[in-house]
Amino acid sequence: MSISIKPQDFASAIGMETDATEWFQVDQDRINKFADCTLDHQFIHVDPEAAAKSPFGTTIAHGFLSLSLLSYFAEQLNVALEGVKMGVNYGLDKVRFINPVKVNQRVRARAKVLDIIEKKPGQFQIKMEVTVEIEGEDKPALIAEWLVMQFV
């Protein structure tokens, strides 16, 4: 379920939840490319042989890689004010990395609207709690309070 919010109906949108996005597989090639972009080549991310001897038993995605997927999931989550012309990432209030994403696991996201504030005429800050789930796991990869600014 996408959430379309009328600017005059903020209160009714608070607490609304989206359906989960489609599953997305995090493969070793993506992990390696993220390591190259961030210059974080720690063995638990990029060295399958060494990572096999770690408590994880395999390579894992960077926490920030899992977090960066929020940008990809945003279109599917589709939390938007009616008449929105543009939305931008405004930051994060809180992030907790709860469970590592192991290589080749699939993740998806769901969101809940926590707050909507009109910062300036036509500019609305939406705070969402976004949970990134891992297929087959009881605990999610992360939970974040994500801020987006939408312009109507």
Side-chain angles (χ1 to χ4, degrees):
M1 165 182 95
S2 61
I3 299 175
S4 179
I5 306 162
K6 294 180 181 178
Q8 65 272 20
D9 293 336
F10 292 165
S12 64
I14 307 302
M16 291 183 76
E17 297 185 35
T18 67
D19 292 331
T21 65
E22 297 293 320
W23 290 106
F24 180 86
Q25 186 172 19
V26 181
D27 61 20
Q28 190 63 52
D29 184 56
R30 185 167 309 279
I31 294 169
N32 291 345
K33 287 176 180 173
F34 192 84
D36 289 343
C37 287
T38 61
L39 305 178
D40 180 356
H41 293 94
Q42 185 178 12
F43 77 93
I44 60 172
H45 305 303
V46 298
D47 185 341
E49 189 175 305
K53 299 172 188 164
S54 76
F56 306 116
T58 189
T59 55
I60 60 170
H62 305 71
F64 285 124
L65 168 55
S66 300
L67 182 64
S68 74
L69 292 174
L70 296 186
S71 295
Y72 168 73
F73 290 132
E75 187 174 337
Q76 291 179 58
L77 293 171
N78 196 24
V79 176
L81 294 168
E82 284 188 3
V84 67
K85 295 176 185 160
M86 176 179 71
V88 296
N89 181 2
Y90 198 66
L92 299 151
D93 274 354
K94 181 178 178 181
V95 178
R96 292 294 178 265
F97 299 108
I98 298 166
N99 197 12
V101 176
K102 295 178 180 176
V103 66
N104 295 323
Q105 283 189 306
R106 297 191 323 160
V107 295
R108 67 181 181 187
R110 62 180 70 242
K112 178 168 79 172
V113 177
L114 298 178
D115 198 14
I116 304 171
I117 301 168
E118 186 171 17
K119 299 297 266 186
K120 294 181 181 177
Q123 293 183 18
F124 299 86
Q125 179 183 292
I126 301 174
K127 179 190 278 192
M128 296 177 286
E129 178 184 83
V130 181
T131 302
V132 175
E133 303 170 339
I134 306 169
E135 187 175 37
E137 299 281 341
D138 292 332
K139 293 193 279 183
L142 65 90
I143 299 174
E145 289 182 4
W146 189 20
L147 305 173
V148 296
M149 186 70 74
Q150 293 188 359
F151 300 80
V152 295

